[in-house]
């Protein structure tokens, strides 16, 4: 049972336009959400995060929106640049349930392709 | 500031063998988490070490074990390797054992089991 879902395996966007990557989750205990970017043969690079007490967080060209009632978050990249072409992973974590850390739960990723 | 490093970068083993993967955490971080990423999947949590103690574990069998050293570097050991253990193994470090700490990843070790 996938607790974090990224339903679009790939997304193609023209350079300069907005890229919107979506992520849904099922576990209501998740309280912290992150987006990572991954190039081939490299580890995931942290992009931006958001706590469940907020509904928006912005960092330069990257904005993450959280809709807790819909259990949905999205990453907006404006404007999209060729270097943004990569696989983007949505991840979530929950407060300890008493059994220790559960780590990050990841989606399967969305491959973003920025076309010139 | 030194980032997360992992060694080796690539490894080939045969079924039944044992393997040890190594990770050095980012400067100032005392928590290390290990993940397994199979092809086409997102990383899956194996376990976390905080101040040299296992602090949480995912759904992996006991043949996956680990250690954290006083300098906060860590090892992942896998015994009795199976073909399905072929994957990218990622190490991530963070500055505390809490849930709202951002984890920073190393480049990974790609393991192939034949």
């Amino acid at each position: 049972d996938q607790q974090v879902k990224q339903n679009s395996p790939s997304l193609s966007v023209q350079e300069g336009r907005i890229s919107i990557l979506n992520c849904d989750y099922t576990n209501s205990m998740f309280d912290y959400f992150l987006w990572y970017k991954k190039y081939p043969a490299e580890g995931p690079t942290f992009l931006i995060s958001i706590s469940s007490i907020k509904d928006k967080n912005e960092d330069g060209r990257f904005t993450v929106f959280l809709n807790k009632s819909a259990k949905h978050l999205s990453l907006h990249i404006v404007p999209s640049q060729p270097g943004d072409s990569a696989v983007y992973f949505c991840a979530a974590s929950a407060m300890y349930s008493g059994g220790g850390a559960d780590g990050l739960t990841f989606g399967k990723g969305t491959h973003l392709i920025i076309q010139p | 500031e030194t980032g997360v490093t992992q060694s080796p970068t690539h490894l080939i083993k045969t079924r039944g063998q044992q393997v040890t993967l190594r990770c050095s955490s980012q400067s100032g971080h005392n928590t290390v988490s290990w993940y397994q990423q199979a092809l086409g999947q997102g990383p899956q949590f194996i376990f976390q070490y905080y101040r040299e103690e296992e602090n949480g574990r995912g759904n992996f069998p006991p043949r996956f074990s680990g250690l954290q050293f006083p300098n906060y570097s860590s090892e992942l050991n896998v015994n009795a390797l199976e073909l399905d253990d072929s994957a990218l193994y990622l190490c991530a470090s963070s500055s505390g054992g809490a849930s709202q700490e951002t984890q920073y990843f190393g480049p990974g070790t790609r393991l192939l089991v034949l």
Side-chain angles (χ1 to χ4, degrees):
Chain A
D1 177 35
Q2 260 198 297
Q3 297 188 66
V4 176
K5 296 179 185 178
Q6 294 177 257
N7 292 319
S8 299
S10 66
L11 176 67
S12 184
V13 174
Q14 205 164 13
E15 182 180 354
R17 304 294 290 268
I18 183 172
S19 295
I20 300 176
L21 296 102
N22 293 304
C23 177
D24 297 295
Y25 63 95
T26 57
N27 187 344
S28 57
M29 299 298 291
F30 287 145
D31 65 345
Y32 190 55
F33 303 88
L34 309 94
W35 284 94
Y36 287 88
K37 170 181 175 179
K38 188 177 184 302
Y39 293 119
E42 293 184 13
T45 301
F46 170 70
L47 273 177
I48 192 168
S49 62
I50 187 167
S51 165
S52 59
I53 61 172
K54 294 185 174 182
D55 54 19
K56 177 182 174 182
N57 189 26
E58 201 169 343
D59 184 1
R61 296 187 298 116
F62 302 94
T63 303
V64 56
F65 295 92
L66 175 62
N67 182 335
K68 286 189 294 293
S69 60
K71 293 191 176 69
H72 177 84
L73 64 156
S74 60
L75 174 68
H76 292 209
I77 306 174
V78 182
S80 300
Q81 298 174 353
D84 296 332
S85 294
V87 177
Y88 288 77
F89 289 99
C90 169
S93 68
M95 288 288 287
Y96 290 177
S97 61
D102 293 326
L104 295 174
T105 301
F106 283 83
K108 289 187 176 183
T110 296
H111 185 193
L112 176 65
I113 301 159
I114 306 300
Q115 295 188 333
Chain B
E1 185 179 272
T2 309
V4 180
T5 60
Q6 292 185 242
S7 63
T9 54
H10 295 83
L11 204 50
I12 300 174
K13 291 284 188 179
T14 55
R15 197 170 48 180
Q17 284 189 310
Q18 179 265 344
V19 69
T20 297
L21 310 182
R22 295 179 175 84
C23 170
S24 291
S25 59
Q26 186 168 313
S27 174
H29 288 181
N30 58 14
T31 303
V32 171
S33 304
W34 286 92
Y35 292 81
Q36 180 195 66
Q37 186 179 14
L39 205 58
Q41 304 293 316
Q44 287 211 313
F45 176 63
I46 303 174
F47 44 57
Q48 181 182 91
Y49 278 82
Y50 173 61
R51 294 184 175 177
E52 303 177 58
E53 299 273 339
E54 187 178 292
N55 190 37
R57 189 177 184 93
N59 190 24
F60 279 81
R63 58 188 185 85
F64 285 78
S65 64
L67 280 174
Q68 188 178 32
F69 301 99
N71 66 354
Y72 303 127
S73 66
S74 176
E75 284 182 358
L76 164 66
N77 299 290
V78 187
N79 293 322
L81 283 167
E82 300 177 359
L83 298 180
D84 284 349
D85 295 334
S86 295
L88 180 68
Y89 288 85
L90 294 161
C91 165
S93 74
S94 54
S95 58
S99 67
Q100 293 203 0
E101 293 288 340
T102 298
Q103 296 184 18
Y104 295 89
F105 284 83
T109 294
R110 186 160 296 282
L111 173 64
L112 178 61
V113 182
L114 301 176

